[in-house]
Amino acid sequence: MVRPSLRLLAVIVLLSLVAVCSLSSLVIAGTPSFGPFTVDLSEPTVIRMSGEIDAEDALNFRRALQYAPQARLVVLDSPGGSVYAGLLIADDVFEHKLSTVIPSGASCMSACSLIFFAGLERQAHGKLGVHQMTGGGATGTQLAVSDIIELMTRFEVPADVLAIMFRTPAETVYIFSDEEIARFNINRSARVPDGKFGDYPLASCSGWNGTLTKSSGQNGRNARMSGIVTEPDLVEYCERDPGGETIRNGGTKTVGECAKELAYEMNTRMRTVANCESGVLRFFYGSKPERTMKLPLPDDRSCASGLPPLIDQFQMLCPRMAQRYDLQH
């Protein structure tokens, strides 16, 4: 039997100890890092970038993506760094349909801005800065500019932003003001799909509404309307974000994620029947128990009472009777 040398045994033991220590550190810290990228195990949908972007960090970002396949948001805080690494990371962000955010108190400058602009949804609460990019020599610079224009066009970055980027000398940084961020539409959320929303009042102040599909018998004894919950209804609710869960309002969810979590509500059907003469309304939402409203209304018409959407429905079906009563809420 061939025995390993003492030196080889020492190396094996040392490597084993390093691996064990590294694993222990990973478990204890809960935030494995890949260059400037970290993934908190308690937030598997979020990748955070902090620090300068080095040439090898495009590979580090892919390692972070492999570790966190559920990632949907990249949180940025970086002074910039390698232009080409930034372009590669930005391309991955775009292809994986990730969203980007610069938190309040953080900054995203130079090459970091390329990553920010790649976001499906993007929100700059902190400082966003741009300037001319250089790639080493005239030829390298031209190639860098060409690559940037190509990617920024794909990312639908406004021409005004590109003009500022290419006019600002490389030794300085142009930081966008809040007014410019709004004027140039730098921040963006997921687009609302085509279609109507909000036609069928369902929400007790802070929920979602539905889409009206049919209405008949207005002002009569058997006034009726029916509707359905559609994707645009849920997206509109998430755009409004009454719970402050999306990245635009300091949360970690994208509008798309918010709508996806509510997807079980899609295609839920509802109907309302009202006797306008007696002032009675009955509302049915999916398989939930019937809800009833009868005039005159109680003094408590708050959101907690659940009456606001029923009042709105009654005003739609029985506008004449509604005028006789104080139905404000």
Side-chain angles (χ1 to χ4, degrees):
M1 179 178 66
V2 179
R3 295 185 179 181
S5 67
L6 291 177
R7 180 176 295 178
L8 180 58
L9 284 173
V11 171
I12 293 173
V13 171
L14 179 60
L15 291 175
S16 300
L17 288 173
V18 170
V20 170
C21 290
S22 298
L23 181 59
S24 299
S25 174
L26 177 69
V27 174
I28 292 172
T31 53
S33 61
F34 308 87
F37 304 101
T38 57
V39 181
D40 192 322
L41 300 181
S42 65
E43 289 184 304
T45 63
V46 180
I47 296 176
R48 299 180 184 275
M49 186 182 85
S50 180
E52 201 164 319
I53 304 169
D54 293 329
E56 67 274 12
D57 286 333
L59 179 58
N60 281 325
F61 184 63
R62 291 194 173 183
R63 288 170 176 155
L65 283 174
Q66 289 176 348
Y67 186 85
Q70 296 178 331
R72 293 293 178 269
L73 176 66
V74 182
V75 180
L76 302 168
D77 186 7
S78 170
S82 169
V83 174
Y84 289 107
L87 287 169
L88 290 171
I89 295 168
D91 190 53
D92 278 343
V93 167
F94 181 80
E95 290 298 326
H96 285 81
K97 294 181 172 57
L98 305 179
S99 295
T100 54
V101 62
I102 308 169
S104 298
S107 62
C108 180
M109 306 293 177
S110 186
C112 176
S113 68
L114 304 176
I115 301 171
F116 170 77
F117 285 121
L120 175 67
E121 297 180 40
R122 54 190 188 225
Q123 298 292 322
H125 301 300
K127 294 180 179 179
L128 173 65
V130 299
H131 62 185
Q132 295 173 1
M133 304 292 178
T134 59
T139 301
T141 299
Q142 287 179 355
L143 290 174
V145 170
S146 175
D147 290 337
I148 290 168
I149 292 175
E150 179 185 347
L151 280 185
M152 295 299 105
T153 301
R154 288 172 60 200
F155 303 161
E156 299 179 347
V157 176
D160 292 325
V161 172
L162 287 178
I164 290 172
M165 178 185 292
F166 294 130
R167 282 201 307 260
T168 304
E171 60 271 14
T172 62
V173 177
Y174 187 97
I175 298 176
F176 292 99
S177 66
D178 291 340
E179 185 274 332
E180 288 173 322
I181 287 174
R183 175 155 48 96
F184 297 145
N185 295 315
I186 289 176
N187 288 347
R188 70 177 182 186
S189 295
R191 295 179 180 140
V192 177
D194 293 336
K196 296 189 300 180
F197 55 81
D199 296 328
Y200 199 120
L202 305 176
S204 183
C205 299
S206 60
W208 53 87
N209 288 319
T211 297
L212 184 67
T213 57
K214 187 177 181 180
S215 180
S216 63
Q218 190 181 62
N219 291 315
R221 295 182 179 180
N222 190 29
R224 295 173 173 268
M225 66 180 187
S226 56
I228 190 171
V229 176
T230 67
E231 182 180 10
D233 296 319
L234 299 178
V235 173
E236 186 277 334
Y237 164 78
C238 293
E239 283 276 1
R240 188 162 27 95
D241 191 22
E245 299 179 359
T246 66
I247 61 174
R248 180 174 56 187
N249 295 310
T252 60
K253 296 179 183 177
T254 66
V255 170
E257 281 183 299
C258 170
K260 185 176 180 180
E261 289 184 1
L262 295 173
Y264 65 91
E265 294 286 352
M266 279 182 57
N267 299 320
T268 299
R269 296 189 177 276
M270 73 289 299
R271 61 187 176 92
T272 304
V273 181
N275 185 327
C276 299
E277 293 184 6
S278 62
V280 176
L281 177 143
R282 301 164 62 203
F283 171 58
F284 306 85
Y285 181 85
S287 60
K288 292 184 178 181
E290 169 190 341
R291 292 168 60 190
T292 304
M293 185 191 84
K294 181 172 175 40
L295 298 180
L297 296 177
D299 292 334
D300 180 13
R301 305 175 192 179
S302 65
C303 297
S305 73
L307 285 175
L310 304 185
I311 293 172
D312 290 340
Q313 291 173 23
F314 189 83
Q315 290 175 324
M316 292 173 67
L317 290 175
C318 309
R320 292 176 188 168
M321 179 64 78
Q323 289 179 354
R324 302 179 189 176
Y325 289 86
D326 178 15
L327 297 185
Q328 299 302 311
H329 56 83

